[in-house]
Amino acid sequence: MPILLFLIDTSASMNQRTDLGTSYLDIAKGAVELFLKLRARDPASRGDRYMLVTYDEPPYCIKAGWKENHATFMSELKNLQASGLTTLGQALRSSFDLLNLNRLISGIDNYGQGRNPFFLEPSILITITDGNKLTSTASVQEELHLPLNSPLPGSELTKEPFRWDQRLFALVLRLPGVASTEPEQLGSVPTDESAITQMCEVTGGRSYCVRTQRMLNQCLESLVQKVQSGVVINFEKTGPDPLPVGEDGLMDSLRPSNSFAAQPWHSCHKLIYVRPNSKTGVPVGHWPIPESFWPDQNLPSLPPRTSHPVVRFSCIDCEPMVIDKLPFDKYELEPSPLTQYILERKSPHTCWQVFVTSSGKYNELGYPFGYLKASTTLTCVNLFVMPYNYPVLLPLLDDLFKVHKLKPNLKWRQAFDSYLKTLPPYYLLPLKKALRMMGAPNLISDNLDCGLSYSVISYLKKLSQQTKLESERILASVGKKPPQETGIKVKNHSGGGVSLVHNKNFRKLLKEITGETALRLTELNTKEFAGFQVGLLNKDLKPQTYRNAYDIPRRGLLDQLTRMRSNLLKTHKFIVGQDEDSLHSVPVAQMGNYQEYLKTVASPLREIDPDQPKRLHTFGNPFKQDKKGMMIDEADEFVAGPQNKVKRPGELNSPMSSKRRRNATVIHDVHEEKMENGQTPPDGFLSKSAPAELMNTTGDGVPPSQLDSLSDDFTSLKRDGPFHKLGNNVLRGGAPNCNLSVDDQKIAVVSTLGTAPNALQITPAMAQGINADIKHQLMKEVRKFGRKYERIFILLEKVQGPLEIKKQFVEFTIKEAARFKRRVLIQQLEKVLEKIDSHHLLNNVNHINSRSSS
């Protein structure tokens, strides 16, 4: 259940206006509402919890906390006002204390017992500020300082105010007050230079320098993607650098390795993704990350831990170890210089062991508790968490099952007992559970010792009780308004001390309302409402206006009690058989409160086919697809999966055209297979690889001019033809292995060449329409998350017109890729651009030579 805490700058400087006339505070409110709409596209958002904190003095700074619902959050957000000082440090401390309120009670931090990545409360703290100087009642501060003293018990057990599953992101508003004449720069949003940037980087987040409304929308889309379940870890290299890897993937000992110069991948501060279980929706794990100290019974207190554990990795290549039925945990690393370096080595069958310093009893570096390894497809790097000192344990367990057949001898038991002495005490319980899951005999005593002294355990219990009391006090103060400064009190003597009840006009008006005296119609202006008649009061039906319970007569007690109960509980109905109007009318402020409705809806069943794109709730539109968090208008929705193709006018339905379509399908499939196997996709875009492959399969010599026309025909056919995947159209050893026989392929080529002149003629107007549609699809494909760019190059193949037009489309795609920081795509497109230029130059030379020869 992700926690999204919004820290809004409510200092007086947020009243400054932009060139559009809106204040910074209005922009901040709108940014929060837009973020919630973007986040609501993800089905996982139904479990989100929203909190709101301002720059007011604690505890009045908490506007919406743990108990407030979404409606309260939105109401408090709309009522925010900008006044006061820029006390960012105090506001951040209050925000982290609010997030850490229940951690000691739930035991999620597990102090002294190892760090469990699967015990987490993923929290994203988003602060929106103007980046001005930090002010307090004493002075103006140049640097950001968080108060050291915290009212939360147990805060001394962690050195920093945040935890490893909490990240800080800052939107620093730098919108000008006067409209800028310079063109807006596209690309990624830079970090800000204010004091909060360093604090964001320490927690694993970042800051955004927002200069335009478009940049703000881009930042919000980026922040929605940052809502991930995971924890931040410091990865640091220990020992020498690895030997360089040659182009053939083997170690090259002759190439020098710069082991002493600091490299970006030597120290990385990144997130590891902790995925929830697909069945339960909750992360599941088995092994902790060890503490940086050895638990001892003689320790009077626990040493304070850092928020992010320091995990050291050795660059010595090892074989990844695993045995059957032994559970292990696997976490994917966030992309970083370290992951890029490991993937560039292209060694998916080796691993680097990881350690925690001082975690062992007899070893300063500690024993390995897992390893870093690239995935088999070289798409990501994973952290495998194993039992502590697993290189010793796994061979022992392997012998236990295969050699001793679950009946260990004395020598094996002695070796196992020696291993247990190197094991931190908090690993005994998970190891005992793992052995039970494997079906091994009971090899560990039932009297397990956690390794902590009695005083430490008592102290942790005492902290838990104190945290409960402090939590109740803080939660009780949520939503309360800070006391207003009364200033100088001036006593009013104008009334002479006479109360309102003794006023003659007031008593007369009260009698007229209760019906004791007749209403003075002379004072009513009857001309103002012509045609309306004023109804006189019925003196027999007097309203009950008792101000004292003793004034009620004895015979009317039961009747009055029924009226009081009906007014209090709102159970009366004006017309029999009709519900109250309040049941069918909702205030405008609550009309968009869809989050509360989602909490009452039952969890949806899993999809029958997990490969299909996920459906969203989308307010009654069940066919809307997941757009990966990108802002696309409803008119521009891209529906993934198979779509019905409309046959264009002029398309033939003859057997010849079906054979031509079948051959085009074979070539299209071979071309896609090349792209999946890592071959350069632009080759097919320029050289029209379809004719060359047909020459190889048929073995006939076809003139190049006919092949060029044939390839253009294939391109037009691929645009609208029903392309169905064939079974074995895979390139093996560089040669296509198709299902068609040689005779069939010869017939297909001849028939295709024969019918090419009679194919659909593309007029300039049709070509312009096709290119416009391709341009629109290219924009959406570049926006999509991931590195699957095959569709982009397939679209570029379909561009109609000469090479100049195709060059313009490639340049346009490069600009779009630069907006979304697609570096790999840009590199591939630049190669395409170079080949277009060289191809264009070669055509010009051939044209000049032909003219000179003629």
Side-chain angles (χ1 to χ4, degrees), residues 621-682:
N621 182 2
F623 302 103
K624 189 175 177 182
Q625 302 289 333
D626 189 1
K627 297 185 290 254
K628 302 298 181 184
M630 293 299 176
M631 291 192 61
I632 304 175
D633 294 336
E634 290 184 1
D636 302 334
E637 288 178 4
F638 172 71
V639 181
Q643 300 181 12
N644 294 328
K645 299 291 185 179
V646 181
K647 187 164 65 177
R648 297 180 183 272
E651 183 173 348
L652 301 178
N653 225 358
S654 62
M656 292 293 187
S657 63
S658 64
K659 288 185 178 180
R660 182 168 67 237
R661 236 182 245 115
R662 182 178 62 180
N663 279 317
T665 307
V666 173
I667 296 160
H668 174 72
D669 202 38
V670 170
H671 175 69
E672 284 193 350
E673 188 62 34
K674 275 187 176 181
M675 296 170 65
E676 292 176 1
N677 290 338
Q679 301 184 16
T680 308

Side-chain angles (χ1 to χ4, degrees), residues 62 75 248 263 267 307 341 412 429 530 543 824:
I62 305 174
S75 175
D248 54 355
Q263 301 293 332
S267 179
S307 294
Y341 181 81
W412 189 94
L429 182 58
V824 178

